Amino acid sequence: MRPTTDSPRLPSSRLPALKVLVVLMLAVSMSACSMFKSKRETIDTMPLVALYDNAHASLQNADYAAATKAYQRLIARFPSGEYNEQAQLEMAYSQYKDNQPDDALSTVNRFIKTYPTNKHVDYAYYLRGLINFDRTSGVIERYINREGSQARRDQGYNLQSFDDFSELSRRFPDSAYTADARQRMIYLRNILAQYEINVAEFYLRNKAYIAAADRAQYVIEHYQQAPQTGDALAILTRSYLALDQKTLADQSRQVLALNYPNHPYLSDAKWPHPPSTLRKMVPFSGHH
C-alpha cells in the first residue's frame, strides 16, 4: 500500500477571509499611492482650477505672499482665458494688501490696458484709486487718522487717487464702487484744499503776500465746495490789504461775510494766528 503524498491544504473556510484581506491591502496600497501623488502636487503641476482655488484660498486666508506666488504661476502656465484674467485682478489686490503698491499698480494698469472690456474692469479702476489713496499716509497715521498731517505731505498720490476715482465715476457711474469712490473724492478734495491753505498761511506769516494770495485764489477756483474756501477768502483779504489793494480786499471780505458769516476772521482781523511754539513741539500735531 503506497503512502499518501498530498501537500497540506488550507481549510476551505479560511479562503474567503484571505480574499478580503488581499482586496483590502490592494485598496490601501492604491490609496497611499494616490495620497503620495497628491502631496507631491505643487503650483507647478496643479491643473488650472485647482491652482486657482489654491491661490484664492491663500488670498481669503490673508496669506498674500502665497497667493501672489500662486497667481503668478497660474498666469505664467495658463496665459489666456477667464481664469487668467481673474487671477491678474486678484493678484493686484493681493499685492496691494501685502503693501507692495508699485507691483499692485503695475498689475492693475496692465489689466486695464489689456482687458478694457472685462466685466470687472470697473473694480480695476477702483482698486487703482485705493492703491494711490493709501500711499500718502504713513504707518502711524493710518491708525491715528491725522488728516492734518496728511495735508502737510506731498500731495502727488492724493491727486492721482482723486483722478483715478474721478475716472471711475465718469466711466462707470452705475458701478457698485462709484458711491464709495465719490465719498473718497470728497475727502481727498478737502485734504488737497487744506494743503493749499497750509501753504498760503506759511506765505502769509512770512509776508510773501502775492504767493499767499495766489494759493488762496487757487483754492477758491478749484475747491469751491470744500470747507476751506472760507479760509481762502480770509487769507485773500489779508493779502490784498497788505498789498494795499483795498478794493479787492473789500470785495473778498464781502464774499466771505455773505457765505461764511461765522468765520473767525470777521471778528479777528489777525486770523490766522501762527501756531504756538509749544504746539509745534507736540508730535503729530500737524504743525511741523
Side-chain angles (χ1 to χ4, degrees):
M1 189 171 179
R2 296 177 63 186
T4 59
T5 58
D6 292 342
S7 59
R9 295 181 180 181
L10 292 171
S12 59
S13 61
R14 296 178 59 186
L15 288 176
L18 183 61
K19 290 179 179 179
V20 171
L21 181 62
V22 171
V23 171
L24 286 173
M25 290 177 65
L26 287 172
V28 170
S29 176
M30 291 176 65
S31 176
C33 289
S34 177
M35 290 176 62
F36 183 67
K37 179 180 178 182
S38 176
K39 287 181 179 179
R40 288 193 309 170
E41 201 168 53
T42 67
I43 59 175
D44 292 317
T45 58
M46 286 179 183
L48 174 59
V49 176
L51 179 52
Y52 173 79
D53 289 343
N54 175 282
H56 191 70
S58 296
L59 182 64
Q60 290 185 314
N61 291 326
D63 189 352
Y64 302 119
T68 298
K69 184 177 180 180
Y71 285 129
Q72 287 173 335
R73 290 304 299 143
L74 187 154
I75 293 166
R77 290 180 56 207
F78 306 98
S80 63
E82 184 178 353
Y83 279 95
N84 178 287
E85 294 179 26
Q86 186 65 22
Q88 289 191 44
L89 198 55
E90 292 184 19
M91 184 173 74
Y93 177 76
S94 179
Q95 291 168 327
Y96 159 65
K97 295 295 289 184
D98 200 29
N99 196 29
Q100 300 179 38
D102 290 334
D103 291 339
L105 202 60
S106 176
T107 301
V108 79
N109 281 335
R110 184 167 58 250
F111 179 89
I112 291 172
K113 183 178 180 179
T114 308
Y115 308 109
T117 60
N118 183 280
K119 61 182 179 180
H120 299 304
V121 73
D122 60 330
Y123 174 74
Y125 281 100
Y126 176 70
L127 180 57
R128 185 167 69 177
L130 283 182
I131 294 167
N132 285 313
F133 185 86
D134 284 347
R135 294 185 81 171
T136 301
S137 299
V139 174
I140 295 176
E141 288 168 4
R142 292 179 186 177
Y143 290 95
I144 63 177
N145 194 27
R146 285 296 307 183
E147 293 186 21
S149 297
Q150 268 226 39
R152 283 167 170 77
R153 290 177 175 269
D154 178 77
Q155 298 301 301
Y157 291 130
N158 279 343
L159 282 167
Q160 184 58 58
S161 180
F162 186 93
D163 289 342
D164 293 334
F165 289 134
S166 178
E167 187 170 7
L168 168 65
S169 299
R170 185 177 67 256
R171 288 175 177 266
F172 307 97
D174 299 323
S175 169
Y177 307 103
T178 297
D180 182 74
R182 286 172 176 161
Q183 289 300 312
R184 292 176 185 271
M185 286 174 66
I186 293 172
Y187 171 84
L188 289 168
R189 178 203 65 193
N190 295 345
I191 290 292
L192 293 167
Q194 186 60 54
Y195 174 80
E196 297 296 333
I197 291 297
N198 293 340
V199 176
E201 288 183 6
F202 172 81
Y203 285 139
L204 191 65
R205 289 195 299 269
N206 288 276
K207 301 181 180 181
Y209 301 117
I210 294 178
D214 286 343
R215 291 284 182 159
Q217 189 65 42
Y218 183 87
V219 173
I220 295 167
E221 292 176 357
H222 292 84
Y223 306 114
Q224 293 180 6
Q225 297 180 336
Q228 290 81 4
T229 304
D231 295 346
L233 287 165
I235 292 172
L236 193 61
T237 302
R238 281 196 57 181
S239 298
Y240 283 149
L241 286 172
L243 292 168
D244 199 25
Q245 299 288 329
K246 190 174 184 306
T247 301
L248 292 175
D250 287 342
Q251 291 174 353
S252 58
R253 192 180 191 284
Q254 289 174 11
V255 175
L256 174 64
L258 181 64
N259 291 278
Y260 302 92
N262 298 318
H263 195 279
Y265 174 74
L266 297 174
S267 57
D268 180 4
K270 293 184 178 180
W271 185 96
H273 298 280
S276 66
T277 303
L278 181 61
R279 183 65 182 271
K280 291 180 180 179
M281 296 173 63
V282 177
F284 313 116
S285 66
H287 291 286
H288 294 270

